[in-house]
Amino acid sequence: MKTIISKIDINNMDKEELKKQAKLLNEGKTVIFPTETVYGLGANALDEDAVKKIYEAKGRPSDNPLIVHIYEKNEIYDLAKDISEKAETVMNKFWPGPITIILNKKEIIPYKTSGGLNTVAIRIPSHPIARKIIKYAGVPIAAPSANISGRPSPTKADHVYEEMNGRVNGIVLGGDSNFGLESTVLDMTSEVPMILRPGSITKEDLEEVIGEVTIDPSLEKKEDNKKARAPGMKYTHYSPDADVYIVSGAIENVANKINELVSVNLEKGLKTGVMCLEKNKHKYKGEVVSLGNNLDEVGRNLFDILREMDKKNVDIVYSEEFPSQGIGRAIMNRLLKSAGYKIIHT
Ligand code: AMP
Ligand code: MG
């Protein structure tokens, strides 16, 4: 497939170029574009044939529902029903932004988009390019992360170009994602809302405005999320080619353990990558890559660095563990999945 590529400068957006890509979406074709979370692979959410192309391009299992991206809040009343006051509060407070809410769907949403469910996931992105594309397309856009299913989500233009050129009708290259982790997914169909996927809008942020929020209990276990309520959370995810392990414990023990393992691996002829906070970089041997100075930076860089590990051709990656609260909860969720839940305790 010939992919039409548009390079867009976020500070000086070429409207004609964006309109060209939006027209593809309006015609039932697939277009990748940047959002503030990760790059999304979009198609008309109301057109089953268009949505089918998303699943094909990603190799995504068809029971894994898509997030519908809209331009303005009032569009939601055409797509979803039984919208509670708490849902209104969340939308008013956090949209446009990196939170997706699950509501009962109206008939207009095809089951292909909702993965066969009677609910629908909806979000308004804040990224200026995403906003323009959705506005010009004039239809709600289903847009999962623009990676081949199972791979780390793309957070930079290079990632999508390398992985998806030739698999979709259009790609809008528009710099790096601001957050680098997918949106928080919040189920608002029950009295007490439940986080189905942690993201950069945290449980703590939500509780400040709507009171009690629970977290899907299967996500809190450091093991396989087979019982997760968001269908997508059941699948293997975010996997680089290398085998990833999380090393847990006091920092000096972690450093000793990782360095010991790096030496053992070297004797076996295996190349080892290490992912850590910038301040700990000097403690390690091997191909050491900093994930950043703080948790916000770790969130932004994680998927990029998992991809970088593949480029370095490492066989095994060890990562430091991060505290499971605030944004750390989303980071650990992604890291555990990329590690296939393998933790080395020191
Ligand atoms: P992605 O589009 O790749 O960012 O993934 C979207 C996530 O939202 C997946 O984990 C989906 O399973 C989840 N999701 C989407 N729609 C629903 C829904 N109606 N109910 C529960 N989870 C959903
Ligand atoms: Mg995804």
Side-chain angles (χ1 to χ4, degrees), residues 66-251:
L66 306 176
I67 296 173
V68 177
H69 295 67
I70 58 176
Y71 178 65
E72 292 182 308
K73 190 188 146 204
N74 59 14
E75 294 170 56
I76 200 162
Y77 305 105
D78 296 332
L79 308 175
K81 59 187 180 189
D82 311 325
I83 301 170
S84 66
E85 252 180 53
K86 281 183 194 168
E88 291 283 350
T89 307
V90 170
M91 292 187 279
N92 291 334
K93 170 85 185 170
F94 296 106
W95 279 0
I99 184 159
T100 298
I101 61 175
I102 309 285
L103 296 166
N104 289 326
K105 79 174 193 72
K106 283 195 170 167
E107 224 168 275
I108 190 171
I109 301 282
Y111 281 108
K112 194 96 212 147
T113 301
S114 72
L117 300 171
N118 288 319
T119 51
V120 60
I122 304 182
R123 163 171 119 82
I124 302 186
S126 63
H127 193 287
I129 295 177
R131 290 190 61 66
K132 283 269 183 301
I133 293 262
I134 298 165
K135 182 179 176 195
Y136 294 150
V139 287
I141 302 296
S145 51
N147 50 292
I148 303 273
S149 240
R151 297 269 305 150
S153 300
T155 55
K156 289 177 181 281
D158 285 353
H159 301 164
V160 275
Y161 186 76
E162 284 165 16
E163 195 163 302
M164 303 306 275
N165 187 25
R167 299 181 75 96
V168 289
N169 300 106
I171 297 183
V172 180
L173 301 173
D176 298 351
S177 299
N178 326 39
F179 294 103
L181 294 173
E182 305 87 343
S183 59
T184 306
V185 176
L186 183 67
D187 183 350
M188 303 219 66
T189 61
S190 55
E191 179 53 31
V192 178
M194 181 184 278
I195 292 177
L196 306 187
R197 176 172 74 184
S200 37
I201 292 180
T202 64
K203 173 174 154 64
E204 295 80 359
D205 296 334
L206 289 163
E207 288 192 326
E208 247 174 62
V209 295
I210 50 166
E212 188 189 3
V213 170
T214 56
I215 295 188
D216 177 351
S218 78
L219 302 184
E220 294 292 82
K221 298 189 197 128
K222 287 187 177 169
E223 56 193 55
D224 214 336
N225 292 161
K226 278 204 184 75
K227 293 201 179 109
R229 296 183 196 209
M233 301 301 278
K234 293 174 201 154
Y235 296 104
T236 315
H237 246 102
Y238 316 124
S239 314
D241 296 332
D243 210 8
V244 181
Y245 294 83
I246 297 168
V247 185
S248 157
I251 183 64

